[in-house]
Amino acid sequence: MFIHGSFMHILMNMAVLFQFGSILERYLGWVKFGILYIIGGVITGLLSLGYLAFESVNLVGASGAISVLLGFLAYIDRFNRKGLIIVILLVSFAPLLIGISVAWYAHLIGFGVGYLAGFFKVLK
């Protein structure tokens, strides 16, 4: 979650983290926000590695952890849920269409982990 493939990679991750993370940090407080980010990111990383069990691929970046935040936000904000689902699908698959390799599975797994965290009220 703390290693990135390039300067542009970290720049994009931090822009999305700032945009959506600031909303969730105000809602949850910094301690619960940090717990959701770190533990959700680790769970997403482990599940992604499970998905890639027989592949030789490097997993780098904060995208999975940020996707956890988006999934959690989608659960608590019903008004913007459809838009957040569209966002996660676009950032997962649009780069593939132009030949940029992204860990689309980490995005989707992270979104699911975050949504389930909201559903099960993990941070109440």
Side-chain angles (χ1 to χ4, degrees), residues 95-111:
L96 297 173
L97 296 174
I98 58 172
I100 298 173
S101 179
V102 295
W104 58 269
Y105 42 86
H107 296 166
L108 299 181
I109 290 168
F111 192 88

Side-chain angles (χ1 to χ4, degrees), residues 23-73:
I23 296 167
L24 269 179
E25 185 184 10
R26 281 193 298 272
Y27 177 79
L28 293 171
W30 70 272
V31 172
K32 288 181 181 179
F33 175 83
I35 291 168
L36 178 66
Y37 182 83
I38 297 294
I39 294 178
V42 168
I43 291 169
T44 297
L46 291 173
L47 291 172
S48 295
L49 283 174
Y51 174 77
L52 296 170
F54 302 105
E55 302 275 333
S56 178
V57 178
N58 292 322
L59 282 175
V60 295
S63 302
I66 293 168
S67 297
V68 170
L69 301 178
L70 292 173
F72 190 86
L73 187 58

